[in-house]
Amino acid sequence: MSDAAAAERNIDTSKMQISDEIAIQISAMNKWYGSFHVLRDINMTVNRGERIVICGPSGSGKSTLIRCINRLEEHQAGQIIVDGTELSGDLKNIDKVRSEVGMVFQHFNLFPHLTILENCTLAPIWVRKVPKREAEETAMHFLEKVKIPEQADKYPGQLSGGQQQRVAIARSLCMKPRIMLFDEPTSALDPEMIKEVLDTMISLAEEGMTMLCVTHEMGFAQAVANRVVFMDQGQIVEQNEPKEFFNNPKSERTKLFLSQILGH
Amino acid sequence: MSDTHSNTVSYVRDSMLPQQEPPLKDRGAVKWLRENLFSGWLNTVLTLLSILTVWFIIIEIGPWLMNTVWNAGSLRECREILDGTSGACFAVIKDRWHQLMFGFYPPEYYWRPVLAFVLMLVAVAPILFAELPRKMLYFSALFPFVGYHLLWGGSIWLPVAVLLGFVAGYIAFRLLDRMSSLISTLGAVAATLAWWFLLAGPFNAAMTSVLPIGLEFVRSDAFGGFLVSVVIGVSGIALSLPLGILLALGRRSEMIFVKSVCVVFIEFIRGVPLITLLFTASLLLNYFLPPGTSFDLILRVIIMVTLFATAYMAEVIRGGLAALPKGQYEAADALGLDYWKAQRLIIMPQALKISIPGIVNTFIGLFKDTTLVVFIGLLDPIGLSNAIRADTNWNGIYWELFIFIGALFFIFCFSMSRYSQYLERKLKTDHR
């Protein structure tokens, strides 16, 4: 278990405040892949400033769930409202939501033909119409924040996995999103690199960012999350604050899952 | 160093080893020879056989090439000079140089195709080499019109009228830019077509009667030799790449109608021999056009060659698109880029890079296929070689003409191939 990230640093909770404002509202949402019912009756409300960790066995639909929030996947029934905008077939709404919601992928998905700096400035310039110089300043600011400003002129292929993932986080931040989604951000990384990415995510949490993370890093969940959501077979089985969730799980399925991942 | 510890279980290295040179037989020329020419008895035999073959070819052809006659008015004269010895008669190239280059283009206007060729190189340069100033691209955009006017001449207002169509499209695009990119694109296309079909004709006629300037008109029949090959080849290449991209995107589209149209087009064109399309261009197309329209033959051939290459190009690019990981599309989507921006900024640069070998393959194929126009009566270099042999002076000369034509085609195609390798190296971004 990597509790390292949590243990080694004192987390500054002063700005980690949860407001009453609703950031994401998912109600009675269902999704099918063909005839396979991947997400079943999902109801979930995320307030601004919340840090939610979603965990569960593979195939439980946790990635699909957060991919629905910026419509990389389409849901077939129910409602998803992000920042007051309902996700439907309307392309304008989708683009609006996507420019407000940052996403970090398991495999980084940096653009290999562009330099690190260009990766970070592309969307601000072309979507937000920010002047190039301003976009570059913002990009350098966030690259400094993820601690790799010196790599700005390199290409993604020249960076290590951990560095690439930090660039991917910086790239999302350059769009000044109000919500960040993380889809197993550390699963493709070597153990040595997991910490640097988690540190970046923790500092983001400290600034009060609304975050939804699909991750198996339980140390991160305990240190940062204010809520842990456990999913199995496309349903939300249990959700609770981390302390209760880990020490006193209610459902049998959760207990089994926790014993398997914490047991070694 | 290592044997000190080799028998002990617990082991701590006290000093890191410095980097050392490989042994003598594993570096430099010796290594290269050993690995590439004499890596086993079979390869050694093959190497020796290859050397023998090359030697044999040089011995056989060398003297014939070295003993070349450059100045003679006819094959008979050539043979008299050679006086029974073996030798090439490249005098035919010198004698018919202009014809091989320009066909029957009026000699007093030879400067026009030459100038057009030079300007073409200038126009292509900034597209090929990103180091050149980007402002040069404005000239590249203008070149098709300049080139057309230089080659065919006629009233200068015709190319201007066509050019203004694009200007109209651009203005419409700008005006509608606030709307979605689909509306502005459709608006631009509509404005361009409206100008061409409704206003360009009267505009051309009016301006020509007011201000009749322009170069002397040269009919397409006068075009020949490499002029024809280059005009058809370069136009085909320049048009087939953008059209191929659109077609490839269309084939991957989720809109069923767009997709079906693209699939049918690609499968039809690929399923029909080019020569059939060329005969259609030369013989049948006139039946479908309104009576009285004379549609230039070279233009018709360019259209057919372009369509043919476009279908292949689309499939090559589709291969590149399919090779891109899905994550690239998702990352572009997640950042809020719309379809066209994602295609232009993220997807196409990578897909085209992957497709470079296939694209250049298609370009080279297209360029060489231009020799097929000989069958519909255009005098490309091959057609001219027949015409030159029909002259009693040069009756019976084969090798020299074909070697020359082959060499020129080789230069064109080999440069394309070299350029593509340069580009692949330059675009390689995963080096550490």
Side-chain angles (χ1 to χ4, degrees), chain A residues 67 98 110 112-113 126 158, chain B residues 328 330 344-345 429 431:
Chain A
R67 288 158 60 86
R98 281 175 178 167
L110 293 178
H113 62 301
W126 289 92
Q158 295 166 283
Chain B
Q328 292 292 310
E330 289 178 352
R344 186 177 135 204
L345 301 165
T429 55
H431 44 66

Side-chain angles (χ1 to χ4, degrees), chain B residues 64-126:
Chain B
W64 182 78
L65 272 178
M66 299 302 281
N67 198 12
T68 287
V69 176
W70 283 104
N71 292 302
S74 68
L75 189 56
R76 195 177 313 112
E77 215 177 300
C78 247
R79 287 187 177 143
E80 276 164 18
I81 296 171
L82 285 170
D83 197 21
T85 58
S86 158
C89 183
F90 280 103
V92 64
I93 309 299
K94 209 169 166 185
D95 193 43
R96 298 299 181 96
W97 172 261
H98 286 122
Q99 219 176 29
L100 281 166
M101 289 297 136
F102 307 113
F104 300 98
Y105 207 87
E108 65 271 30
Y109 297 136
Y110 279 163
W111 63 271
R112 278 161 53 176
V114 172
L115 181 61
F117 186 75
V118 172
L119 289 182
M120 181 195 82
L121 295 182
V122 176
V124 164

Side-chain angles (χ1 to χ4, degrees), chain A residues 167-188:
Chain A
V167 171
I169 294 174
R171 177 176 73 177
S172 291
L173 293 177
C174 284
M175 286 294 278
K176 308 265 172 71
R178 307 184 68 188
I179 299 166
M180 284 288 286
L181 308 175
F182 293 85
D183 187 2
E184 306 205 24
T186 55
S187 301

Side-chain angles (χ1 to χ4, degrees), chain A residues 58-177:
Chain A
S58 60
S60 59
K62 50 198 192 308
S63 284
T64 311
L65 172 61
I66 69 164
R67 288 158 60 86
C68 281
I69 294 172
N70 66 352
R71 197 129 172 136
L72 287 181
E73 305 282 354
E74 201 176 315
H75 60 281
Q76 280 95 16
Q79 214 181 21
I80 301 178
I81 300 172
V82 181
D83 259 341
T85 311
E86 186 182 349
L87 282 171
S88 59
D90 188 342
L91 287 175
K92 270 223 173 83
N93 283 353
I94 294 174
D95 283 340
K96 189 164 168 238
V97 165
R98 281 175 178 167
S99 60
E100 299 294 333
V101 178
M103 174 119 185
V104 176
F105 300 88
Q106 181 179 0
H107 296 288
F108 332 134
N109 296 350
L110 293 178
F111 305 130
H113 62 301
L114 300 176
T115 64
I116 299 307
L117 188 64
E118 286 165 342
N119 263 282
C120 294
T121 56
L122 183 117
I125 291 175
W126 289 92
V127 179
R128 288 247 194 273
K129 315 273 183 211
V130 176
K132 191 174 175 218
R133 176 166 306 168
E134 201 184 313
E136 280 174 358
E137 278 166 17
T138 317
M140 285 314 292
H141 167 75
F142 284 114
L143 285 175
E144 267 160 38
K145 213 169 123 178
V146 301
K147 304 202 177 68
I148 30 178
E150 71 282 359
Q151 313 280 10
D153 293 324
K154 290 197 181 164
Y155 286 95
Q158 295 166 283
L159 268 53
S160 73
Q163 289 173 324
Q164 290 195 45
Q165 192 61 296
R166 282 184 284 152
V167 171
I169 294 174
R171 177 176 73 177
S172 291
L173 293 177
C174 284
M175 286 294 278
K176 308 265 172 71

